Structure formats: C-alpha cells, structure tokens
Amino acid sequence: MERSTFIRSLTLATSIVGISLLHYFTPLHLPYLHAIFQRLYYLPIILAALWFGLRGGLSCALVVSIVYAPHILFQWGGALTMEMEKYLEILLYNIVGGVTGLLSQRERERTVELQKTARGLEESFQKLQHQSERIIIIEEQLRRAEKLSTLGEMAAVLAHEIRNPLGSIRGTAEILKDDYKPGDPKHEFIEIQIRETERLNRVVEDFLHMARPQPTQMTPCSIQEELETIATLIANDAKARHISFVLHPPPAPVIIRADGEKLRQAFLNIIINALQATPPGGSLTVSTTLRQREDSAPVCEISFSDTGSGIDAETLKRVFEPFYTTKEGGTGLGLVVTKKIIEGHGGRLLIESDHGRGTTVTVSLPMLEGGKQ
Ligand SMILES: Nc1ncnc2c1ncn2[C@@H]1O[C@H](COP(=O)(O)OP(=O)(O)OP(=O)(O)O)[C@@H](O)[C@H]1O
Ligand SMILES: [Mg+2]
C-alpha cells in the first residue's frame, strides 16, 4: 500500500471511530448534539469518495452504516419516528457516498485522459521537431554530396585529359632516347622521364577506374569463405595490435547471392573500425547465425563484437552520416559505404554499443531459398 493511501485510510478510520464514540457516549437527552454528530459522518464519506472514487465512497458509507446502526437500534430503540429519520439518514449516507464517488471517479478519469492526450501531443511535437532537424541535416548533406559529385566529375574529365598528353610525352621521350647510348647520362635522364610518365599514367588510370561506378556482380557466395579471406588479410594487423580475432563458423554452410568483392569490402570496413577501437588485450569475435521467421525469407546474421571503447549515444546517432568521424585522419565514409553495400544486397546493418565496453555490429542478409546450395 502506498504511504499516502495508508494515511488517508487511517484518517477515515479514526474519524469514523471518533464520531461513533461521540454518539455512543453522549447521553440521549442531548438530541441536538446527536443531530450534529449524525451529520459529521458526511465528512469521512465525502472525503473517501473524493480520495478513492465510487468504491471508496460506498465502502465508507457502508462502514458508517454498520457502526451507526446498533446505536439507533439499541440506544434509541422505541421512538419510531426518531428511528425512521435516522434510518433515512443511513440511506442518505450511501447515496451521497455513491454519487460523490462516481462524480470524483469520472473527473479523475477525465484528468488521466487529458494527461494522456497532452503526453501524446508532447511526443508528436518532439517527433516533429526531431524530423525537421533531420531534414535540415539531410538537406545540408545533399548539398555537399552534389558539390562533391560535380567535383568528382570534373576530376575525372581532368584525369582523362591528362592521359593524352602523357602518351605524347612518353612517345617523344622514347624517340629521344634512341639518340643517346646507354651509359650516357642523358640516356638515363630520359629513362627516368619515361618511368615517371608511366607512373603518372598509372595513377590517372587508377583514379579513372575508381571514379567509374563498378557494376554489381551477384553470384552465389559463401559467407564463411569471405570471412576467412578477410581473417587472413587482417591477421597480421590484429596480432600487431595484440587483439585476439575469433571467427566462429556458422551451424551450416551459408550461401547467399552477392557481389563477393563488395561484401568483403563491407566486412573489412567493420573489422577495421573494431580493430581501431579495441585496445591491446581486447578481442574481436565474428559469428554467423541463421534466422528463419515465419513471415519472411531465411536470413543470416553476421555479428562483429569487439571489446573496444564503444560508442556514446550522441556519436551513435551520427555514425552513418557521410564524413562523420571521430578519428584523426579518418574520412568518415567507411560505414556509409558499408551500409550502402549491405542495403544493396537487400540486407540491414545494425550497431549496438555499450559505451566503454564494446560494440556489436550486426549485418543481416537474406539467404538463397533453402538457405544453402
Ligand atoms: N567498432 C567501433 N567501435 C567504436 N567506434 C566505432 C566503431 N565503428 C565505428 N565507430 C565510430 O563511427 C565513426 C564512423 O565510422 P566510419 O567507419 O564511417 O568512419 P571512420 O572509421 O572514422 O573513417 P574511415 O572512413 O577511415 O573508415 C568512427 O569515427 C567511430 O567514432
Ligand atoms: Mg572506418
């Protein structure tokens, strides 16, 4: 029982007992005093109705009736008109208790309803505010992305234009080279010129290759094999950082339709983040589980759990924003690219983090019908 309920109940009980004692111990030849005491009973009845609603009002009226009735019956017994008036008063106690209780209960329900509506309105307002803030942020990102994509296109055109004169420079250098014998310092200078031109050409080629969007090549691929390839790739890095890397195999072979290279890139981004966040002596555990929900296709969940620094709530809200990084020298694009790749495979990416204890990144990917092949 709550403390306030207890105090209220005690107040009611004390006042009923007090008024009843006054009735029982006041001589009957003082009827005007009895008339006053009789009306005093309304106080606890109305209070009970206000505090405890219909049930409280009625219960209190009933208790008063039971306590008061013997007094009428045994002490007043005989004077029928007097008795009748007092019995009527008992009836009134119950009516007053019931009606007041009912009204106060309705009022209370209405207040609760109003409070609920107010809370709902407050929540809607907060959501609206949150959404409008997000719209502003997204708008800003779009503007930035637009600028970047224009810059990227310009850079690609520039790289393309550099390639042609490079070809001419290399060609003329080859011709000039023939004029000098090997061993001649000029012959060597021209060789350096050719080598550097080739290097420049390779840089430009690589840049163009990177700038061109690569088509996705969906083929059946084994999740475990992809993870094992990455494990080999990062083994040295993990060892140098004194982090133990554990790869648990799935319960059954998991084959999904995917672009293996892109998937590896996504997994690698997640693993590199985990290694960067985990101090020496920590661990990174990767495990794959299968889930089959009744209403959807089978899904495989790959979880990457590290014992690193974790992510605080504010940062967690922003990790998927392009260029958001907490690292010196970070680009803040790792998770953006990763999310895009996973969603491009019809999957989902979830990050849960316990600040100071570690982070778990879960990738869910839809499997081929039947789960294996
Ligand atoms: N496992 C992790 N533990 C702690 N923080 C993490 C983890 N993974 C991501 N983060 C946080 O999310 C931010 C964004 O990560 P994201 O991979 O997108 O960019 P980045 O790692 O900072 O830079 P890069 O583009 O070089 O990957 C990080 O700067 C880091 O604060
Ligand atoms: Mg990263």
Side-chain angles (χ1 to χ4, degrees):
M1 201 196 287
E2 257 181 58
R3 202 176 136 76
S4 65
T5 312
F6 176 74
I7 292 175
R8 284 173 174 183
S9 310
L10 194 70
T11 312
L12 293 177
T14 318
S15 53
I16 294 173
V17 170
I19 299 166
S20 304
L21 287 176
L22 287 173
H23 266 301
Y24 282 95
F25 290 106
T26 304
L28 295 184
H29 63 82
L30 299 169
Y32 57 93
L33 280 181
H34 281 278
I36 293 171
F37 302 152
Q38 204 170 307
R39 258 112 237 177
L40 272 182
Y41 274 133
Y42 285 109
L43 279 178
I45 293 172
I46 290 172
L47 277 179
L50 289 179
W51 287 340
F52 304 113
L54 178 63
R55 223 192 287 173
L58 276 181
S59 313
C60 188
L62 200 70
V63 171
V64 168
S65 311
I66 292 168
V67 176
Y68 184 43
H71 170 67
I72 309 170
L73 201 62
F74 301 118
Q75 290 187 283
W76 287 98
L80 195 63
T81 45
M82 277 265 209
E83 262 182 66
M84 274 315 288
E85 186 220 319
K86 292 185 187 331
Y87 283 129
L88 270 177
E89 193 87 43
I90 285 187
L91 185 67
L92 263 180
Y93 290 156
N94 287 283
I95 293 172
V96 168
V99 173
T100 319
L102 198 67
L103 290 178
S104 90
Q105 195 163 314
R106 284 223 185 116
E107 190 59 32
R108 207 169 318 153
E109 279 163 7
R110 234 167 63 91
T111 314
V112 170
E113 202 61 40
L114 279 175
Q115 276 170 347
K116 222 193 276 173
T117 315
R119 234 176 290 135
L121 276 173
E122 172 77 24
E123 267 169 32
S124 310
F125 176 70
Q126 298 260 345
K127 263 190 215 151
L128 210 67
Q129 208 174 15
H130 181 70
Q131 269 164 0
S132 58
E133 276 166 13
R134 274 202 64 74
I135 288 174
I136 294 171
I137 293 171
I138 290 169
E139 215 175 35
E140 173 67 26
Q141 283 168 3
L142 277 177
R143 229 174 292 136
R144 199 139 58 125
E146 210 176 312
K147 259 190 237 160
L148 273 173
S149 80
T150 321
L151 270 177
E153 268 169 40
M154 277 165 63
V157 171
L158 201 64
H160 192 260
E161 289 310 303
I162 290 172
R163 231 165 29 148
N164 297 340
L166 270 183
S168 316
I169 295 172
R170 190 179 189 283
T172 43
E174 295 271 7
I175 297 168
L176 280 177
K177 194 174 78 169
D178 294 340
D179 290 350
Y180 302 97
K181 290 196 177 58
D184 189 321
K186 287 196 180 148
H187 184 274
E188 226 166 277
F189 290 149
I190 295 177
E191 282 225 310
I192 293 173
Q193 189 180 345
I194 293 173
R195 242 194 349 262
E196 290 302 297
T197 319
E198 275 170 0
R199 195 157 75 90
L200 205 54
N201 198 47
R202 265 202 310 279
V203 171
V204 174
E205 291 263 332
D206 280 354
F207 177 79
L208 282 175
H209 182 74
M210 227 172 60
R212 213 174 296 131
Q214 300 291 308
T216 326
Q217 312 228 314
M218 299 292 243
T219 50
C221 63
S222 152
I223 291 287
Q224 189 61 11
E225 272 174 30
E226 300 301 346
L227 289 172
E228 275 163 11
T229 310
I230 295 167
T232 323
L233 275 178
I234 57 101
N236 278 338
D237 193 10
K239 207 168 153 194
R241 291 172 188 266
H242 300 284
I243 297 170
S244 70
F245 180 81
V246 187
L247 175 60
H248 290 301
V254 183
I255 309 289
I256 66 162
R257 266 192 86 70
D259 182 328
E261 199 175 318
K262 290 215 159 113
L263 218 51
R264 273 199 301 280
Q265 188 189 342
F267 293 160
L268 199 61
N269 284 344
I270 298 172
I271 289 178
I272 289 174
N273 278 347
L275 292 179
Q276 287 171 340
T278 309
S283 67
L284 168 59
T285 312
V286 181
S287 39
T288 308
T289 47
L290 308 180
R291 255 180 235 299
Q292 167 77 72
R293 292 211 186 88
E294 268 176 29
D295 52 340
S296 63
V299 168
C300 76
E301 281 186 0
I302 308 131
S303 66
F304 304 79
S305 289
D306 65 58
T307 58
S309 56
I311 310 172
D312 63 79
E314 273 314 298
T315 308
L316 196 55
K317 277 191 217 155
R318 306 191 56 189
V319 290
F320 291 118
E321 282 177 22
F323 307 107
Y324 179 78
T325 180
T326 56
K327 298 170 195 167
E328 212 172 299
T331 62
L333 288 175
L335 285 177
V336 179
V337 172
T338 306
K339 189 162 187 247
K340 210 169 143 207
I341 294 175
I342 300 301
E343 286 176 355
H345 283 81
R348 283 197 320 190
L349 185 66
L350 178 78
I351 302 187
E352 291 159 298
S353 191
D354 202 350
H355 190 34
R357 295 192 173 190
T359 305
T360 298
V361 180
T362 309
V363 173
S364 329
L365 288 165
M367 294 207 291
L368 283 179
E369 263 324 297
K372 28 188 151 161
Q373 192 175 281

